[in-house]
Amino acid sequence: MKTVMAIDPGLTGGLAVSRFGRAECFAMPDTEGDLLELLRDVATGARVEGGDLVCVLEEVSGFAGKAQPGSAMFRFGAHVGFIKGAVQALGIR
């Protein structure tokens, strides 16, 4: 059984996980540690169930409008990079 995890990396984004024909939604955790724990839980659950896990991460750009300061975009980019690194480190495709 394939598990699909989709991530909207924004601070008000979240994760959606589809498995066994059911979808679960999670708000974006407040800390990187909590996010890593959630990703690890999803990955562990997929492995225990003997299924394949695939992650789809929203492709984002470096521009969010004129009202956004550069520091906000830098934090957003760092957050997206953290997610990519965590997904790869957990062995999630």
Coordinates of all heavy atoms in Angstrom, one line a residue:
M1 N 0.9 -1.2 0.0 CA 0.0 0.0 0.0 C 0.9 1.2 0.0 O 1.8 1.3 0.8 CB -0.9 0.0 1.2 CG -1.8 1.2 1.4 SD -3.0 1.5 0.2 CE -4.0 0.1 0.2
K2 N 0.6 2.2 -0.9 CA 1.4 3.4 -0.9 C 0.8 4.5 0.0 O -0.4 4.7 0.0 CB 1.4 3.9 -2.4 CG 2.2 5.2 -2.5 CD 2.3 5.7 -4.0 CE 3.2 4.8 -4.7 NZ 3.6 5.3 -6.0
T3 N 1.7 5.1 0.7 CA 1.3 6.3 1.5 C 1.9 7.5 0.8 O 3.1 7.5 0.5 CB 1.9 6.1 2.9 OG1 1.4 5.0 3.6 CG2 1.6 7.4 3.8
V4 N 1.0 8.5 0.7 CA 1.5 9.8 0.0 C 1.3 10.9 1.1 O 0.3 11.0 1.7 CB 0.6 10.1 -1.2 CG1 1.0 11.4 -1.8 CG2 0.7 9.0 -2.2
M5 N 2.4 11.6 1.2 CA 2.5 12.7 2.1 C 2.7 14.0 1.3 O 3.6 14.1 0.5 CB 3.6 12.6 3.1 CG 3.8 13.7 4.0 SD 5.0 13.5 5.4 CE 6.4 12.7 4.5
A6 N 1.8 15.0 1.4 CA 1.9 16.2 0.7 C 2.2 17.3 1.7 O 1.5 17.4 2.8 CB 0.6 16.5 -0.1
I7 N 3.1 18.2 1.4 CA 3.5 19.3 2.4 C 3.4 20.7 1.8 O 3.9 20.9 0.7 CB 4.9 19.1 2.9 CG1 5.1 17.7 3.5 CG2 5.3 20.2 3.9 CD1 6.5 17.4 3.9
D8 N 2.6 21.5 2.5 CA 2.6 23.0 2.2 C 3.5 23.6 3.2 O 3.2 23.6 4.4 CB 1.2 23.5 2.3 CG 1.1 25.0 2.2 OD1 2.2 25.7 2.2 OD2 0.0 25.5 2.1
P9 N 4.7 24.0 2.8 CA 5.8 24.4 3.8 C 5.6 25.8 4.5 O 6.3 26.1 5.4 CB 7.0 24.5 3.0 CG 6.6 24.8 1.6 CD 5.2 24.2 1.4
G10 N 4.5 26.5 4.2 CA 4.3 27.8 4.9 C 4.0 27.6 6.3 O 3.6 26.6 6.8
L11 N 4.2 28.7 7.1 CA 4.0 28.7 8.5 C 2.5 28.3 8.8 O 2.2 27.7 9.9 CB 4.3 30.0 9.2 CG 5.8 30.3 9.2 CD1 6.1 31.6 9.9 CD2 6.6 29.2 10.0
T12 N 1.6 28.7 7.9 CA 0.2 28.4 8.1 C -0.2 27.2 7.2 O -1.4 26.9 7.1 CB -0.7 29.6 7.8 OG1 -0.5 30.0 6.4 CG2 -0.5 30.7 8.7
G13 N 0.8 26.5 6.7 CA 0.6 25.4 5.8 C 0.4 24.1 6.7 O 0.0 24.2 7.8
G14 N 0.8 23.0 6.1 CA 0.6 21.8 6.9 C 1.0 20.6 6.1 O 1.6 20.7 5.0
L15 N 0.6 19.4 6.6 CA 0.8 18.1 5.9 C -0.5 17.4 5.8 O -1.3 17.4 6.6 CB 1.8 17.2 6.8 CG 3.2 17.6 6.9 CD1 3.4 18.7 7.9 CD2 4.0 16.4 7.3
A16 N -0.6 16.7 4.6 CA -1.7 15.8 4.4 C -1.1 14.4 4.1 O -0.2 14.3 3.3 CB -2.6 16.3 3.2
V17 N -1.7 13.4 4.7 CA -1.2 12.1 4.5 C -2.4 11.2 4.0 O -3.4 11.2 4.7 CB -0.6 11.5 5.8 CG1 -0.1 10.1 5.6 CG2 0.5 12.4 6.4
S18 N -2.1 10.5 2.9 CA -3.2 9.6 2.4 C -2.7 8.2 2.4 O -1.6 7.9 1.9 CB -3.4 10.0 0.9 OG -4.3 9.1 0.3
R19 N -3.4 7.4 3.1 CA -3.1 5.9 3.2 C -4.4 5.2 3.4 O -5.3 5.6 4.1 CB -2.1 5.7 4.3 CG -2.4 6.2 5.6 CD -1.3 5.9 6.6 NE -1.4 6.9 7.7 CZ -0.5 7.2 8.5 NH1 0.7 6.7 8.4 NH2 -0.7 8.1 9.5
F20 N -4.4 4.0 2.9 CA -5.6 3.1 3.0 C -6.9 3.8 2.6 O -8.0 3.6 3.2 CB -5.7 2.6 4.4 CG -4.6 1.8 4.9 CD1 -3.8 2.2 5.9 CD2 -4.3 0.6 4.3 CE1 -2.7 1.5 6.3 CE2 -3.2 -0.2 4.7 CZ -2.4 0.3 5.7
G21 N -6.8 4.7 1.6 CA -8.0 5.4 1.1 C -8.5 6.5 2.0 O -9.6 7.0 1.8
R22 N -7.7 6.8 3.0 CA -8.1 7.8 4.0 C -7.1 8.9 4.0 O -5.9 8.7 3.8 CB -8.3 7.3 5.4 CG -9.4 6.3 5.5 CD -9.6 5.8 6.9 NE -9.4 6.9 7.9 CZ -9.4 6.7 9.2 NH1 -9.5 5.5 9.7 NH2 -9.2 7.7 10.0
A23 N -7.5 10.2 4.3 CA -6.6 11.3 4.4 C -6.6 11.8 5.8 O -7.7 11.9 6.4 CB -7.0 12.4 3.4
E24 N -5.4 12.2 6.3 CA -5.3 12.9 7.5 C -4.6 14.2 7.3 O -3.7 14.3 6.4 CB -4.4 12.1 8.5 CG -5.0 10.7 8.9 CD -3.9 10.0 9.7 OE1 -4.0 10.2 11.0 OE2 -3.1 9.2 9.2
C25 N -5.0 15.2 8.0 CA -4.4 16.5 7.8 C -3.8 17.0 9.1 O -4.4 16.8 10.2 CB -5.4 17.6 7.3 SG -6.1 17.2 5.7
F26 N -2.6 17.6 9.1 CA -1.9 18.1 10.2 C -1.5 19.6 10.0 O -1.0 19.9 8.9 CB -0.7 17.3 10.5 CG -0.9 15.8 10.7 CD1 -0.8 15.0 9.6 CD2 -1.2 15.3 11.9 CE1 -1.1 13.6 9.7 CE2 -1.5 13.9 12.0 CZ -1.4 13.1 10.9
A27 N -1.7 20.4 11.0 CA -1.2 21.8 10.8 C 0.3 21.8 10.9 O 0.9 20.8 11.5 CB -1.8 22.7 12.0
M28 N 1.0 22.7 10.3 CA 2.4 22.8 10.3 C 2.8 23.0 11.8 O 2.4 23.9 12.5 CB 2.9 24.0 9.5 CG 4.4 24.1 9.5 SD 5.3 22.7 8.7 CE 4.7 22.7 7.1
P29 N 3.7 22.1 12.3 CA 4.1 22.2 13.7 C 4.9 23.5 13.9 O 5.5 24.1 13.0 CB 5.1 20.9 13.9 CG 4.6 20.0 12.8 CD 4.1 20.8 11.7
D30 N 4.9 23.9 15.2 CA 5.5 25.2 15.6 C 7.0 25.1 15.5 O 7.7 26.2 15.3 CB 5.0 25.6 17.0 CG 3.5 26.0 17.0 OD1 3.0 26.5 16.0 OD2 2.9 25.7 18.0
T31 N 7.6 24.0 15.8 CA 9.1 23.9 15.9 C 9.6 22.9 14.9 O 8.9 22.0 14.5 CB 9.6 23.5 17.3 OG1 9.2 22.2 17.6 CG2 9.0 24.4 18.3
E32 N 10.9 23.0 14.5 CA 11.5 22.0 13.7 C 11.6 20.7 14.3 O 11.4 19.7 13.6 CB 12.9 22.5 13.3 CG 12.9 23.7 12.3 CD 14.3 24.2 12.0 OE1 15.3 23.8 12.7 OE2 14.4 24.9 11.0
G33 N 11.8 20.6 15.6 CA 11.8 19.4 16.3 C 10.4 18.6 16.2 O 10.4 17.4 16.0
D34 N 9.3 19.4 16.4 CA 8.0 18.8 16.3 C 7.7 18.4 14.9 O 7.1 17.3 14.6 CB 6.9 19.8 16.7 CG 7.0 20.1 18.2 OD1 7.5 19.3 19.0 OD2 6.4 21.2 18.6
L35 N 8.2 19.1 13.9 CA 8.0 18.8 12.5 C 8.8 17.5 12.2 O 8.2 16.6 11.5 CB 8.5 19.9 11.6 CG 8.5 19.6 10.1 CD1 7.1 19.2 9.6 CD2 9.0 20.8 9.3
L36 N 10.0 17.4 12.7 CA 10.8 16.2 12.5 C 10.1 15.0 13.1 O 10.1 13.9 12.5 CB 12.2 16.4 13.0 CG 13.2 15.2 12.8 CD1 13.3 14.9 11.3 CD2 14.5 15.5 13.4
E37 N 9.6 15.1 14.3 CA 8.9 14.0 14.9 C 7.6 13.6 14.1 O 7.4 12.4 14.0 CB 8.4 14.5 16.3 CG 7.7 13.4 17.1 CD 7.4 13.9 18.5 OE1 7.8 14.9 19.0 OE2 6.6 13.1 19.2
L38 N 6.9 14.5 13.6 CA 5.7 14.2 12.8 C 6.2 13.4 11.5 O 5.6 12.4 11.1 CB 4.9 15.4 12.4 CG 3.7 15.3 11.5 CD1 2.7 14.3 12.0 CD2 3.1 16.6 11.2
L39 N 7.2 13.9 10.8 CA 7.7 13.3 9.6 C 8.2 11.9 9.9 O 7.9 10.9 9.2 CB 8.8 14.1 9.0 CG 8.5 15.4 8.4 CD1 9.7 16.2 8.0 CD2 7.5 15.3 7.2
R40 N 8.9 11.7 11.1 CA 9.4 10.4 11.5 C 8.2 9.5 11.8 O 8.3 8.3 11.4 CB 10.3 10.6 12.7 CG 11.0 9.3 13.1 CD 11.9 9.5 14.3 NE 13.1 10.3 13.9 CZ 13.5 11.3 14.6 NH1 12.9 11.7 15.7 NH2 14.6 12.0 14.2
D41 N 7.2 10.0 12.5 CA 6.0 9.1 12.8 C 5.3 8.6 11.5 O 4.9 7.5 11.4 CB 5.0 9.9 13.6 CG 5.5 10.1 15.1 OD1 6.5 9.5 15.5 OD2 4.9 10.9 15.8
V42 N 5.2 9.5 10.5 CA 4.5 9.1 9.3 C 5.4 8.1 8.6 O 4.9 7.0 8.1 CB 4.3 10.3 8.3 CG1 3.8 9.9 7.0 CG2 3.3 11.3 9.0
A43 N 6.7 8.3 8.5 CA 7.6 7.3 7.9 C 7.6 6.0 8.6 O 7.6 4.9 7.9 CB 9.0 7.9 7.8
T44 N 7.6 6.0 9.9 CA 7.6 4.8 10.6 C 6.3 4.0 10.4 O 6.3 2.8 10.2 CB 7.8 5.1 12.1 OG1 9.1 5.7 12.3 CG2 7.8 3.8 13.0
G45 N 5.2 4.7 10.4 CA 3.9 4.1 10.2 C 3.9 3.4 8.8 O 3.4 2.3 8.7
A46 N 4.4 4.1 7.8 CA 4.4 3.5 6.5 C 5.2 2.3 6.4 O 4.9 1.3 5.8 CB 4.9 4.6 5.4
R47 N 6.4 2.3 7.1 CA 7.3 1.1 7.0 C 6.7 0.0 7.8 O 6.8 -1.2 7.4 CB 8.6 1.5 7.6 CG 9.4 2.4 6.6 CD 10.8 2.8 7.1 NE 11.4 3.7 6.2 CZ 11.7 4.9 6.4 NH1 11.4 5.5 7.6 NH2 12.2 5.7 5.5
V48 N 6.0 0.2 8.9 CA 5.4 -0.8 9.7 C 4.3 -1.5 8.9 O 4.1 -2.7 9.0 CB 4.9 -0.3 11.1 CG1 3.9 -1.2 11.7 CG2 6.1 0.1 12.0
E49 N 3.6 -0.7 8.2 CA 2.5 -1.2 7.3 C 3.0 -1.9 6.1 O 2.2 -2.4 5.3 CB 1.5 0.0 7.0 CG 0.8 0.5 8.2 CD 0.2 1.9 7.9 OE1 0.4 2.5 6.8 OE2 -0.4 2.5 8.8
G50 N 4.3 -1.8 5.8 CA 4.9 -2.5 4.7 C 4.7 -1.8 3.4 O 4.8 -2.4 2.3
G51 N 4.3 -0.5 3.4 CA 4.0 0.2 2.2 C 5.1 1.1 1.8 O 6.1 1.4 2.5
D52 N 5.0 1.7 0.6 CA 5.9 2.6 0.0 C 5.4 4.0 0.5 O 4.2 4.3 0.5 CB 5.9 2.5 -1.5 CG 7.0 3.3 -2.2 OD1 8.0 3.5 -1.6 OD2 6.8 3.7 -3.3
L53 N 6.4 4.9 0.8 CA 6.1 6.3 1.2 C 6.7 7.3 0.2 O 7.8 7.2 -0.1 CB 6.6 6.6 2.6 CG 6.5 8.0 3.1 CD1 5.0 8.5 3.1 CD2 7.1 8.1 4.5
V54 N 5.8 8.2 -0.3 CA 6.3 9.2 -1.2 C 5.8 10.6 -0.7 O 4.7 10.7 -0.2 CB 5.6 9.0 -2.6 CG1 6.0 10.1 -3.6 CG2 6.0 7.7 -3.2
C55 N 6.7 11.5 -0.8 CA 6.5 12.9 -0.3 C 6.4 13.8 -1.5 O 7.2 13.8 -2.4 CB 7.5 13.4 0.7 SG 7.3 15.0 1.2
V56 N 5.4 14.7 -1.5 CA 5.2 15.7 -2.5 C 5.3 17.0 -1.7 O 4.5 17.3 -0.9 CB 3.9 15.6 -3.2 CG1 3.7 16.7 -4.2 CG2 3.7 14.2 -3.9
L57 N 6.3 17.8 -2.1 CA 6.6 19.1 -1.4 C 6.2 20.2 -2.4 O 6.7 20.2 -3.6 CB 8.0 19.2 -1.0 CG 8.5 20.5 -0.3 CD1 7.7 20.8 1.0 CD2 10.0 20.5 -0.1
E58 N 5.4 21.2 -2.0 CA 5.0 22.3 -2.8 C 6.2 23.0 -3.3 O 7.1 23.3 -2.5 CB 4.1 23.3 -2.0 CG 3.7 24.5 -2.8 CD 2.9 25.5 -2.0 OE1 2.7 25.3 -0.8 OE2 2.6 26.6 -2.6
E59 N 6.3 23.3 -4.6 CA 7.4 24.1 -5.2 C 7.1 25.5 -4.9 O 6.1 26.1 -5.3 CB 7.5 23.8 -6.7 CG 8.7 24.5 -7.3 CD 8.9 24.1 -8.7 OE1 8.3 23.1 -9.2 OE2 9.6 24.9 -9.4
V60 N 8.0 26.2 -4.2 CA 7.8 27.6 -3.8 C 8.9 28.5 -4.5 O 9.9 28.0 -4.9 CB 7.9 27.8 -2.3 CG1 6.8 27.0 -1.6 CG2 9.3 27.3 -1.8
S61 N 8.5 29.7 -4.6 CA 9.5 30.7 -5.2 C 10.0 31.6 -4.2 O 9.6 31.6 -3.0 CB 8.8 31.5 -6.3 OG 7.8 32.4 -5.7
G62 N 11.0 32.4 -4.5 CA 11.6 33.3 -3.6 C 10.9 34.6 -3.5 O 11.5 35.5 -2.9
F63 N 9.8 34.8 -4.1 CA 9.1 36.1 -4.0 C 7.7 35.9 -3.5 O 6.9 35.0 -4.0 CB 9.0 36.6 -5.5 CG 8.3 38.0 -5.5 CD1 9.0 39.1 -5.1 CD2 7.0 38.1 -6.0 CE1 8.4 40.4 -5.1 CE2 6.4 39.3 -6.1 CZ 7.1 40.5 -5.6
A64 N 7.3 36.6 -2.5 CA 6.0 36.5 -1.9 C 5.2 37.8 -1.9 O 4.2 37.9 -1.2 CB 6.1 36.0 -0.4
G65 N 5.7 38.7 -2.6 CA 5.0 40.0 -2.7 C 5.9 41.1 -2.2 O 6.8 40.9 -1.4
K66 N 5.5 42.3 -2.5 CA 6.3 43.5 -2.1 C 6.2 43.8 -0.6 O 7.1 44.4 0.0 CB 5.8 44.7 -2.8 CG 6.2 44.7 -4.3 CD 5.7 45.9 -5.0 CE 6.0 45.8 -6.5 NZ 5.7 47.0 -7.2
A67 N 5.2 43.3 0.1 CA 5.0 43.5 1.5 C 5.9 42.7 2.4 O 6.0 42.9 3.6 CB 3.6 43.3 1.9
Q68 N 6.6 41.7 1.8 CA 7.4 40.8 2.6 C 8.9 41.3 2.7 O 9.5 41.5 1.6 CB 7.4 39.4 2.0 CG 6.1 38.7 2.0 CD 5.6 38.4 3.4 OE1 6.4 38.0 4.3 NE2 4.4 38.5 3.7
P69 N 9.4 41.4 3.9 CA 10.8 41.8 3.9 C 11.7 40.6 3.6 O 11.3 39.5 3.6 CB 11.0 42.2 5.4 CG 9.9 41.4 6.1 CD 8.8 41.3 5.1
G70 N 13.0 41.0 3.2 CA 13.9 39.9 2.8 C 14.2 38.9 3.9 O 14.3 37.7 3.7
S71 N 14.1 39.4 5.2 CA 14.4 38.5 6.3 C 13.3 37.4 6.4 O 13.6 36.2 6.7 CB 14.5 39.3 7.6 OG 13.3 40.0 7.8
A72 N 12.1 37.8 6.1 CA 11.0 36.8 6.1 C 11.2 35.7 5.0 O 11.0 34.5 5.3 CB 9.6 37.5 5.9
M73 N 11.6 36.1 3.8 CA 11.8 35.2 2.8 C 13.0 34.3 3.1 O 13.0 33.1 2.7 CB 12.0 35.9 1.4 CG 10.8 36.6 0.9 SD 9.3 35.6 1.0 CE 9.7 34.2 0.0
F74 N 14.0 34.8 3.8 CA 15.2 34.0 4.2 C 14.7 32.9 5.1 O 15.1 31.8 5.0 CB 16.2 34.9 4.8 CG 17.5 34.2 5.2 CD1 18.5 33.9 4.2 CD2 17.7 33.7 6.5 CE1 19.6 33.2 4.5 CE2 18.8 33.0 6.8 CZ 19.8 32.8 5.8
R75 N 13.9 33.3 6.1 CA 13.4 32.3 7.1 C 12.6 31.2 6.4 O 12.7 30.0 6.7 CB 12.6 33.0 8.2 CG 13.5 33.7 9.2 CD 12.7 34.2 10.4 NE 11.5 34.9 10.1 CZ 11.4 36.2 9.9 NH1 12.5 37.0 10.0 NH2 10.3 36.9 9.6
F76 N 11.7 31.7 5.4 CA 10.9 30.7 4.7 C 11.8 29.8 3.9 O 11.5 28.5 3.9 CB 9.9 31.5 3.8 CG 9.0 30.6 3.0 CD1 8.1 29.8 3.6 CD2 9.1 30.6 1.6 CE1 7.3 28.9 2.9 CE2 8.2 29.8 0.9 CZ 7.3 29.0 1.5
G77 N 12.8 30.3 3.2 CA 13.7 29.4 2.5 C 14.4 28.4 3.4 O 14.6 27.3 3.0
A78 N 14.8 28.9 4.5 CA 15.5 28.0 5.5 C 14.6 26.9 5.9 O 15.0 25.7 6.1 CB 16.1 28.8 6.7
H79 N 13.3 27.3 6.1 CA 12.3 26.3 6.6 C 12.1 25.2 5.5 O 12.0 24.0 5.8 CB 11.0 27.0 6.9 CG 9.9 26.1 7.4 ND1 10.0 25.5 8.7 CD2 8.7 25.7 6.9 CE1 8.9 24.8 8.9 NE2 8.1 24.9 7.8
V80 N 12.0 25.7 4.2 CA 11.8 24.7 3.1 C 13.0 23.8 3.0 O 12.9 22.6 2.8 CB 11.6 25.5 1.8 CG1 11.6 24.5 0.6 CG2 10.2 26.2 1.8
G81 N 14.2 24.4 3.2 CA 15.4 23.6 3.1 C 15.5 22.6 4.3 O 15.9 21.4 4.1
F82 N 15.0 23.0 5.5 CA 15.0 22.0 6.6 C 14.1 20.8 6.2 O 14.4 19.7 6.5 CB 14.5 22.7 7.8 CG 14.3 21.7 9.0 CD1 15.4 21.3 9.7 CD2 13.0 21.2 9.3 CE1 15.2 20.4 10.8 CE2 12.8 20.3 10.3 CZ 13.9 19.9 11.0
I83 N 12.9 21.1 5.7 CA 12.0 20.1 5.3 C 12.6 19.1 4.3 O 12.5 17.9 4.4 CB 10.6 20.7 4.8 CG1 9.9 21.4 5.9 CG2 9.7 19.6 4.2 CD1 8.7 22.2 5.4
K84 N 13.2 19.7 3.2 CA 13.8 18.8 2.2 C 14.9 18.0 2.8 O 15.0 16.8 2.5 CB 14.5 19.7 1.1 CG 13.5 20.3 0.2 CD 14.2 21.1 -0.9 CE 13.3 21.7 -1.9 NZ 14.0 22.4 -3.0
G85 N 15.7 18.5 3.7 CA 16.8 17.7 4.4 C 16.2 16.6 5.3 O 16.7 15.5 5.3
A86 N 15.2 17.0 6.0 CA 14.6 16.0 6.9 C 14.0 14.8 6.1 O 14.1 13.7 6.5 CB 13.5 16.7 7.8
V87 N 13.3 15.2 5.1 CA 12.6 14.1 4.2 C 13.7 13.2 3.7 O 13.6 12.0 3.7 CB 11.8 14.8 3.1 CG1 11.4 13.8 2.0 CG2 10.5 15.4 3.7
Q88 N 14.8 13.8 3.2 CA 15.9 12.9 2.6 C 16.5 12.1 3.7 O 16.9 11.0 3.5 CB 16.9 13.8 1.8 CG 16.3 14.4 0.6 CD 17.3 15.2 -0.2 OE1 18.3 15.7 0.3 NE2 17.0 15.4 -1.5
A89 N 16.8 12.7 4.8 CA 17.5 12.0 5.9 C 16.7 10.8 6.4 O 17.2 9.8 6.8 CB 17.8 13.0 7.0
L90 N 15.3 11.0 6.3 CA 14.5 9.9 6.8 C 14.3 8.8 5.7 O 13.5 7.9 5.9 CB 13.1 10.5 7.2 CG 13.2 11.3 8.5 CD1 11.8 12.0 8.8 CD2 13.5 10.4 9.7
G91 N 14.9 9.0 4.5 CA 14.8 8.1 3.5 C 13.4 8.1 2.8 O 13.0 7.0 2.2
I92 N 12.8 9.2 2.8 CA 11.5 9.3 2.1 C 11.7 9.8 0.7 O 12.4 10.7 0.5 CB 10.5 10.3 2.9 CG1 10.4 9.8 4.3 CG2 9.2 10.4 2.2 CD1 9.7 10.9 5.2
R93 N 11.1 9.1 -0.3 CA 11.2 9.5 -1.7 C 10.4 10.8 -1.9 O 9.3 11.0 -1.3 CB 10.7 8.5 -2.6 CG 11.5 7.3 -2.7 CD 11.2 6.3 -3.8 NE 9.7 5.9 -3.9 CZ 9.0 6.1 -5.0 NH1 9.5 6.5 -6.1 NH2 7.7 5.8 -5.0

